[in-house]
Amino acid sequence: MSLIAMRMIIPMIVAAALVCSGAKPVSATMQKTLRFGYLDHPGSALFLIAAAKEYFREEGLQVELIRYSESARGLSALETGVIDVGAFTTSDSLRAIADGKGFRIIAGGGTQLSANPLTELDDALQAETDSRGIIVLIPPSWPNAEKGTIIQLTAAIIKAYRTQQQSQTRDSKHTAAVHFDPNPDYWRLERIWRSLGLQDSTMKRDFLASHVYEEIYCDALDRMLLGPIDSILQQLFSKAVCTPNCCPASAAKL
Amino acid sequence: MKRIIAAILLLALTASSGIAADLPKLRVGYVPEPAHGLYFLAKEKGYFKEEGVDVELFQFGSAAEGVAAVKAGKLDVGTFGTTAPLLFISKGSEFTFIGGMMIGGQAIIARPERLAELSGKDLKVYKGKKIGLVKLSTGDVIFRGALKKAGIDVKKDLTFVEFGSAAAVVEAVKKGAVDAGLVWPPHFSLAEKNHGLKVAHYISEFYPDYTCCRIFAHTAKVNSEPETYRRFLTALIRAYKFYKTNPEETVQVYTKALKIDEDIVRNETYVKKVADSNPDPLRKGILDFWQHILAAGYIPQDYPIDKHINTAIYKQALDSVIKKEPKDKIYQQMLTFYKKNN
């Protein structure tokens, strides 16, 4: 797909999502501004929806979106601290991780569907298609104490996904070309990692897993499931492989 | 005067920590369930110290956080279900199972008016029903295994509704959003006590001696300090004997440690015996559990889990107590159980 065609798709997806649901007034405790770099790509639509619908603000976050035309430049900005969060192509991001950049993947974005009917039947073709999709990363410098902020960020992306899905059921002609999924999905990434031949013999067996922060996605989803039953969230939960919480937070709660 | 008292206290603390400082230390993570009580007994009765290991206990509310703490080297031992360490191992974490803590414990609850319809000795009563559960919980995995053994197709014959917590499952059963729900102790006792729900079945009726919480540690640490872990397991074996022979004192120790209703602890531990605390690694049970996770499609590819199970250290610990008390019936039963399950 040409760059011009790609640029045409993003506003269509975002516009469809915005038209199909009303904006909500929000009140949020603002924190410092998070600089969220994203690739100019149809798979980045969820982040634009999250900003336009004020889901970041609803989660108490002040987010500034910064557009990049190339993943390499965006990843470099993430590494040097120019941006706090990045959403770039899976293949470039995984290569950067393999090179020791230390990024952690916290969520998924969108992947353009392949026109090749064989893709779904062939793991290698599927991995190749998936490698061109978008994933969300944070740099290694994120302090553990700010885990709550990453969960809020991921929750905003999940909300954007829900809005996008609701709009897609009503107006599918523009959005069918892109598959969105906010799940970082370790096993999908592991297939891409293998297909790109990134596992070095010197790397530990859990090298990739150490860079996929699925717990954040699961925590965000868990928190959202506490609300009214929502079929879109239930579907995400069914697909996620989350470690079950076996106990209440403290014995005193029993 | 205050200075003198402080100085005496300081001296006392220094002296006691001096003893402990000579012992190898283990930081042990657990979740607040009565069936994890062997830790409290071993601590309270002084078995850890007597066996020569200085154990510090850390309570966790989330299995994911507990396993992550083991992975990060903040804990030397973890006890966080069976699923959580298996998921981490499948993704490359170098953990080794060395023992166990809880066997059984999962129950199916229902509204009282549904009890007659759902009780009975055949799992076929659940055909066509909607079952609430926490995905990947022990109950989820083992119930699927039990249904499969009973020839019931989990994809066609019944519907599973996934929830984020046991409390949400209880709420769904209470409201009638599902026909029955799968929960673990003490949630079903609390559901009975607080909401009038009833236990229709314990899953162990259909699937005896299945694994729940397993004891695991970093493989490198297990390999470099096997003697420390042997001492640790020896203390737990002695705690097991105490739990089997001193019910009333055990209930008091558990209640004090967990700060939950004494009747619930007594009922679950000794009256209804909903779960057993047992330090046996139950190697065969772990391998079965893994196969059920794979069959459910939760993990897309197989992995040789067996190489992450070390039964030798437990066996050495068991042999050491049998050597001291060869005629002890409890220890002999543990040996028979070990031979059957490993």
Side-chain angles (χ1 to χ4, degrees), chain A residues 231-253:
Chain A
S231 61
I232 293 173
L233 292 181
Q234 287 287 345
Q235 280 174 13
L236 287 181
F237 189 60
S238 283
K239 282 193 279 179
V241 180
C242 298
T243 306
N245 270 332
C246 53
C247 302
S250 75
K253 285 193 180 176

Side-chain angles (χ1 to χ4, degrees), chain A residues 53-194:
Chain A
K53 293 287 295 171
E54 299 194 324
Y55 292 143
F56 290 125
R57 226 161 81 86
E58 207 171 87
E59 289 293 328
L61 303 172
Q62 181 78 44
V63 171
E64 179 194 356
L65 290 179
I66 303 166
R67 190 170 62 190
Y68 285 84
S69 56
E70 292 169 20
S71 283
R73 284 188 54 214
L75 288 164
S76 173
L78 190 64
E79 187 187 2
T80 53
V82 173
I83 54 175
D84 306 302
V85 187
F88 303 109
T89 56
T90 307
S91 55
D92 288 332
S93 302
L94 291 182
R95 283 196 178 97
I97 287 170
D99 284 344
K101 301 299 184 199
F103 300 139
R104 282 188 294 175
I105 301 161
I106 59 164
T111 305
Q112 284 179 271
L113 297 173
S114 168
N116 184 349
L118 295 177
T119 303
E120 281 183 18
L121 306 170
D122 186 311
D123 283 351
L125 284 175
Q126 188 63 57
E128 192 186 326
T129 302
D130 287 345
S131 73
R132 293 193 289 265
I134 296 292
I135 50 174
V136 185
L137 310 108
I138 55 170
S141 52
W142 263 86
N144 283 336
E146 289 187 17
K147 185 180 165 187
T149 305
I150 319 174
I151 294 173
Q152 289 167 313
L153 195 73
T154 307
I157 295 169
I158 295 171
K159 284 180 181 176
Y161 169 79
R162 183 169 53 187
T163 300
Q164 184 275 330
Q165 288 291 296
Q166 287 163 345
S167 73
Q168 185 170 308
T169 55
R170 296 171 203 167
D171 181 9
S172 61
K173 62 185 175 185
H174 300 311
T175 53
V178 184
H179 169 72
F180 290 100
D181 188 351
N183 187 351
D185 192 349
Y186 167 80
W187 290 105
R188 186 180 64 91
L189 293 171
E190 195 268 345
R191 279 195 299 275
I192 301 168
W193 181 262
R194 266 191 290 122

Side-chain angles (χ1 to χ4, degrees), chain B residues 39-215:
Chain B
Y39 287 144
F40 315 133
L41 285 177
K43 189 92 174 161
E44 184 79 14
K45 303 308 291 179
Y47 297 152
F48 287 131
K49 288 255 167 82
E50 283 174 20
E51 293 301 329
V53 59
D54 182 14
V55 166
E56 198 175 352
L57 297 176
F58 295 90
Q59 182 178 298
F60 281 73
S62 148
E65 284 178 12
V67 183
V70 179
K71 187 175 161 70
K74 293 174 183 169
L75 288 178
D76 305 305
V77 174
T79 328
F80 304 109
T82 309
T83 307
L86 282 175
L87 287 182
F88 273 70
I89 289 171
S90 74
K91 293 177 184 174
S93 290
E94 295 299 340
F95 296 153
T96 293
F97 293 103
I98 56 166
M101 181 51 73
M102 179 171 167
I103 295 174
Q106 318 295 313
I108 307 171
I109 54 169
R111 288 162 68 102
E113 66 269 23
R114 305 291 303 273
L115 204 58
E117 176 195 353
L118 295 176
S119 56
K121 291 187 176 177
D122 197 327
L123 276 171
K124 289 193 173 91
V125 294
Y126 293 104
K127 270 188 158 185
K129 299 292 187 291
K130 203 186 274 188
I131 312 293
L133 49 78
V134 176
K135 184 178 169 183
L136 276 163
S137 62
T138 299
D140 172 17
V141 175
I142 293 298
F143 189 53
R144 285 172 192 271
L147 290 166
K148 194 178 168 192
K149 281 184 180 181
I152 296 170
D153 188 329
V154 293
K155 288 178 182 159
K156 291 181 186 166
D157 294 339
L158 68 171
T159 309
F160 291 120
V161 184
E162 291 155 350
F163 294 94
S165 68
V169 174
V170 171
E171 194 64 20
V173 175
K174 201 173 82 176
K175 287 181 178 169
V178 293
D179 298 302
L182 275 166
V183 286
W184 53 88
H187 295 285
F188 48 79
S189 301
L190 291 166
E192 286 187 313
K193 187 180 175 185
N194 299 337
H195 305 296
L197 301 178
K198 297 287 178 193
V199 171
H201 289 107
Y202 294 105
I203 301 182
S204 55
E205 295 167 33
F206 310 107
Y207 199 128
D209 293 337
Y210 62 83
T211 69
C212 192
C213 300
R214 301 291 87 199
I215 298 176

